[in-house]
Structures are given as structure tokens and as C-alpha cells.
Amino acid sequence: MWDGGFSEERLHPRAFAAAVALLAVAVVLQVSVVARLGAPLGRPDLVIVLLAIIALIEGPLLGAVLGFVIGLLADLMSTHVLGQTALVLCLVGYLAGLVMNAAERSITVPLATVGAAAVFGTLGNAAATAILGDAALTGAQALERAAAAGLYAVLVTPFLFPIATAASRRLHRDRGRL
């Protein structure tokens, strides 16, 4: 009666460890390289894109846990309120993972999901900073950055999604041999 429908889903240690390592590198790249890019519309959010892709492949449980862990790491590396990014990325990972089954059957679902995750993550971060009284963006600026993040996410997803899918298959296949 109280089953949420995820009784088959488990957190696989190898997939979790690989995803944490990948996203930790992405956090460092985001802060050190991507933040300094002079992209025309703003900066792409590599962390949110990779988190959404991993959640699409592995499901909402891994997406939520991974989003929280990587968000907490990002919070520790920043000067804003601890837990702000962890909350937003936890929600992004969970929501992206919910459409996991539809992503296997359609090519447009990953594009739309990752784009929406980038928009939601950017707006979520802007809303969290506004609620906590540390708003650095106006509403129009937040919408502009969210639209740019969504566009960049849609542009890089066709390149990153197949690589992540192949890596996930290999991890799951190797786990079957052990």
C-alpha cells in the first residue's frame, strides 16, 4: 500500500562511486574552467547536465543521492549558505530520474529532460539565493541565465548521453561478472 513504485531500485555502489568521481571532476572543471569561459549567452552548467544524464540512466534514487552529495561538495567549495546547492541538485537528480523509462524509448526525452533540468537548476539556485536573502540576480537575469543554461544543455546532451549510457552498460555488465 505504501510502496512508491521503486521497489526494484537499489543504489549500486560501483555506479555511485563512478558517478561521484565524474561529478567531482565536473565541479572542479565548472569552477576553474567553465566559469572563466566567455560564452555568448552565459556559462553552461556542466554539473547539472551530467547529473541529469546520470539520473536519466540510473534512476531517481541515485539521482537524488548523487545530487545531494555533489551539491554538498559544491556548497563546501563556495561562500553561500551550506545546503543550498545540495537541495537544488537533489531535486534536479530526483526529477530527472523519474523519466528514466521514457528516456530508453525516445531520443527527444533525454534532450528535453536535460534541458529542463538545467533551466530548473538555474532557477532553483536563483530562487534559493533570493529566499535566503543573498540574491545577486534580478528575475529577468535569472530567466536569461536559465534559458542559456537550457540551450547549452540541449546542445551538449547528444554528445554526452551516448557516452554515459555506454559507460553505465559497461559498469552493469562488469558487476554481473563479479
Side-chain angles (χ1 to χ4, degrees), residues 10-45:
R10 294 187 328 234
L11 195 61
H12 302 290
R14 290 185 67 193
F16 179 73
V20 166
L22 176 68
L23 283 171
V25 170
V27 167
V28 172
L29 286 174
Q30 182 73 34
V31 171
S32 62
V33 176
V34 177
R36 289 173 172 61
L37 288 177
L41 299 173
R43 295 178 301 267
D45 197 330

Side-chain angles (χ1 to χ4, degrees), residues 3-13 15-16 54-66 93-101 172 175:
D3 184 21
F6 302 112
S7 59
E8 294 292 320
E9 189 174 356
R10 294 187 328 234
L11 195 61
H12 302 290
F16 179 73
I54 293 168
L56 267 172
I57 295 168
E58 296 293 334
L61 177 63
L62 182 71
V65 172
L66 190 58
Y94 178 74
L95 293 173
L98 287 177
V99 294
M100 168 183 164
N101 293 330
H172 289 287
R175 186 182 58 226

Side-chain angles (χ1 to χ4, degrees), residues 35-55:
R36 289 173 172 61
L37 288 177
L41 299 173
R43 295 178 301 267
D45 197 330
L46 185 61
V47 176
I48 290 178
V49 169
L50 287 173
L51 173 63
I53 288 172
I54 293 168

Side-chain angles (χ1 to χ4, degrees), residues 165-177:
T165 303
S168 175
R169 285 185 185 139
R170 182 172 180 156
L171 273 174
H172 289 287
R173 184 178 59 236
D174 288 347
R175 186 182 58 226
R177 289 186 204 159

Side-chain angles (χ1 to χ4, degrees), residues 30 41-49 51 84-85 87-89 91-92 113-130 136-153:
Q30 182 73 34
L41 299 173
R43 295 178 301 267
D45 197 330
L46 185 61
V47 176
I48 290 178
V49 169
L51 173 63
Q84 172 183 323
T85 307
L87 172 66
V88 172
L89 291 184
L91 290 172
V92 166
T113 302
V114 175
V119 169
F120 177 74
T122 304
L123 290 176
N125 278 325
T129 57
L137 300 174
T138 65
Q141 290 171 326
L143 288 173
E144 183 180 309
R145 283 196 183 174
L151 176 65
Y152 285 131

